[in-house]
């Protein structure tokens, strides 16, 4: 059996600072450095449109970050969207941590297995209260809530209807709108 070397978040930051990871699209997941999947145009469209939708509705109640790092215990993923407390100036010296995060959204075109099997346990273990996967292949939203240990106790696969983030119940979006925002 082969043993992989695990990297800490500090190790990862030192690699970034030294330039080792320049010209590479990577993220740290559970101590392992993973290449990020290139985005198809539909992925970029849905992610950007949804982020704009949240920005318009939140009206500066929170910061909407697109494809930017969040720092967790042994991971530094770059979710497609993270809605976090505060403003850009709060993150001048650090990335948002688990306690700063209201909602994480991954847009999945070819990365559903990774989003379900690798990222979901990481987000749950960090106690991020809500995690959405916008699955472009099945045109459904997978909503995870109630983290305990490295699992979410609630999972909803939604193909029709209305959804709201837990932290912002006044913001509603139809599932059909998610794919055409």
């Amino acid at each position: 059996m082969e043993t992989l070397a695990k990297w800490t978040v500090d190790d990862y930051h030192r690699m970034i600072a030294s330039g080792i990871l320049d010209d590479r699209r990577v993220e740290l997941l559970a101590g392992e450095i993973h290449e990020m999947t290139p985005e198809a145009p539909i992925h970029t469209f849905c992610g950007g449109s949804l982020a704009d939708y949240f920005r318009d509705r939140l009206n500066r109640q929170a910061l909407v970050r697109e494809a930017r790092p969040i720092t967790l215990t042994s991971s530094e993923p770059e979710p497609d969207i993270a809605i976090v407390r505060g403003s850009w100036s709060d993150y001048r010296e650090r990335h948002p941590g688990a306690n700063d995060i209201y909602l994480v959204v991954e847009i999945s075109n070819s990365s559903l297995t990774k989003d379900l099997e690798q990222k979901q346990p990481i987000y749950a273990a960090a106690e991020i209260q809500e995690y959405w996967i916008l699955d472009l292949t099945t045109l459904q939203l997978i909503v995870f809530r109630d983290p305990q240990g490295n699992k979410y106790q609630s999972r909803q696969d939604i193909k029709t209807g209305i959804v709201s983030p837990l932290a912002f119940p006044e913001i509603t979006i139809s599932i059909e709108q998610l794919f055409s925002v």
Side-chain angles (χ1 to χ4, degrees):
M1 184 167 155
E2 186 176 324
T3 302
L4 298 175
K6 295 286 189 170
W7 304 99
T8 67
V9 171
D10 287 340
D11 293 335
Y12 185 65
H13 288 172
R14 284 194 300 276
M15 285 185 243
I16 292 168
S18 72
I20 291 172
L21 300 175
D22 287 356
D23 304 322
R24 305 223 30 202
R25 288 207 40 182
V26 297
E27 59 188 343
L28 182 69
L29 302 176
E32 298 174 356
I33 299 172
H34 291 257
E35 295 278 352
M36 293 172 64
T37 307
E39 289 185 8
I42 188 67
H43 181 285
T44 305
F45 167 77
C46 287
S49 297
L50 182 57
D52 286 348
Y53 182 86
F54 281 134
R55 281 187 192 98
D56 290 345
R57 301 308 180 281
L58 285 168
N59 196 26
R60 298 186 185 264
Q61 294 177 68
L63 177 63
V64 179
R65 295 169 52 105
E66 292 180 73
R68 303 280 186 211
I70 58 174
T71 302
L72 308 175
T73 303
S74 63
S75 300
E76 195 164 276
E78 297 187 18
D80 292 306
I81 299 171
I83 300 178
V84 303
R85 288 174 173 73
S87 65
W88 286 109
S89 62
D90 295 319
Y91 303 107
R92 175 176 234 147
E93 302 294 325
R94 66 179 181 89
H95 298 305
N99 292 333
D100 300 312
I101 299 168
Y102 294 114
L103 170 67
V104 170
V105 180
E106 295 287 359
I107 312 298
S108 179
N109 197 12
S110 61
S111 63
L112 185 60
T113 300
K114 181 179 185 180
D115 295 335
L116 288 170
E117 295 177 8
Q118 292 179 308
K119 291 189 174 185
Q120 183 271 137
I122 290 168
Y123 295 146
E127 298 183 357
I128 294 172
Q129 295 302 301
E130 188 166 23
Y131 170 40
W132 293 4
I133 300 173
L134 186 59
D135 184 352
L136 300 178
T137 60
T138 61
L139 300 180
Q140 72 177 352
L141 177 67
I142 305 170
V143 176
F144 291 98
R145 293 177 173 158
D146 191 18
Q148 292 181 14
N150 65 348
K151 289 186 173 182
Y152 284 92
Q153 300 305 301
S154 171
R155 174 183 168 159
Q156 292 180 287
D157 294 36
I158 307 169
K159 287 193 174 227
T160 61
I162 304 289
V163 67
S164 296
L166 285 173
F168 303 98
E170 70 280 4
I171 297 174
T172 60
I173 188 166
S174 74
I175 301 306
E176 297 80 12
Q177 188 180 6
L178 282 171
F179 298 97
S180 64
V181 282

